[in-house]
């Protein structure tokens, strides 16, 4: 009798346009999967340790700079994909250069409170004697976490200049996904 009454009540609810789903007690206590990290959950900066500094004096050969994101929130969150990186130049002729992405495949990284993930930027330094129109002198980087629209402004701490290839289809300066 109880089953028949439940079926009739459920049919009346569905007919009225409201659906009801039964949730097992075990599912109600399970933790929700972490959602993506938002800019407000993070802090960012350049890795400046001796082994992380780009070799800006090594002209004509690629080097790497690393930018990190640390979860400062009280929740666990995930990062997956490429950050957005715009370099702002120090010379009047530099303007802003939006870095292209590598062909590497992104992976999902889970960050607990205080955890850090980084990504690398491949750079192609040039000599100071390179003509102004052929070099880009970085001043600051506008770094947007994956799938976000708000950026961090990071001052470029390493000096040097980069071969200006902002219009190249295969530039020597590009970024890799978070975690790579």
């Amino acid at each position: 009798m109880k089953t028949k009454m439940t079926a009739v009540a459920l049919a009346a609810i569905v007919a009225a346009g409201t659906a009801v789903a039964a949730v097992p007690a075990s599912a109600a206590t399970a933790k929700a999967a972490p959602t993506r990290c938002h800019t407000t959950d993070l802090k960012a900066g350049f890795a400046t340790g001796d082994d992380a500094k780009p070799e800006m004096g090594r002209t004509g050969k690629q080097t790497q700079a690393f930018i990190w994101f640390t979860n400062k929130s009280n929740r666990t969150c995930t990062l997956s994909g490429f950050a957005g990186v715009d370099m702002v130049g120090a010379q009047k002729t530099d303007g802003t250069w939006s870095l292209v992405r590598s062909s590497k495949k992104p992976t999902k990284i889970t960050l607990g409170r205080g955890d850090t993930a980084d990504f690398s930027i491949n750079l192609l330094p040039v000599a100071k004697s390179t003509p102004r129109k052929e070099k880009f002198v970085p001043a600051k980087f506008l770094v947007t976490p994956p799938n976000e629209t708000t950026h961090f402004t990071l001052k470029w701490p390493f000096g040097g200049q980069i071969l200006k290839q902002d219009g190249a289809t295969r530039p020597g300066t590009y970024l890799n996904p978070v975690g790579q």
Side-chain angles (χ1 to χ4, degrees), residues 46-132:
F46 281 102
T48 57
D50 286 336
D51 60 340
K53 289 180 184 176
E55 297 178 64
M56 296 306 291
R58 194 176 119 184
T59 61
K61 294 187 179 184
Q62 280 184 320
T63 187
Q64 288 185 317
F66 294 87
I67 295 175
W68 50 262
F69 292 118
T70 298
N71 180 1
K72 67 177 186 173
S73 74
N74 289 322
R75 67 182 190 90
T76 298
C77 60
T78 62
L79 287 173
S80 179
F82 290 83
V85 177
D86 293 328
M87 293 190 304
V88 178
Q91 305 176 116
K92 286 183 179 181
T93 57
D94 286 340
T96 300
W97 178 356
S98 297
L99 296 184
V100 298
R101 299 172 173 183
S102 72
S103 60
K104 292 182 178 179
K105 299 293 179 209
T107 57
K108 184 183 276 190
I109 297 173
T110 302
L111 298 177
R113 178 176 171 77
D115 289 346
T116 298
D118 65 4
F119 65 94
S120 61
I121 299 173
N122 288 49
L123 304 163
L124 187 55
V126 294
K128 286 184 179 187
S129 61
T130 302
R132 177 181 274 207

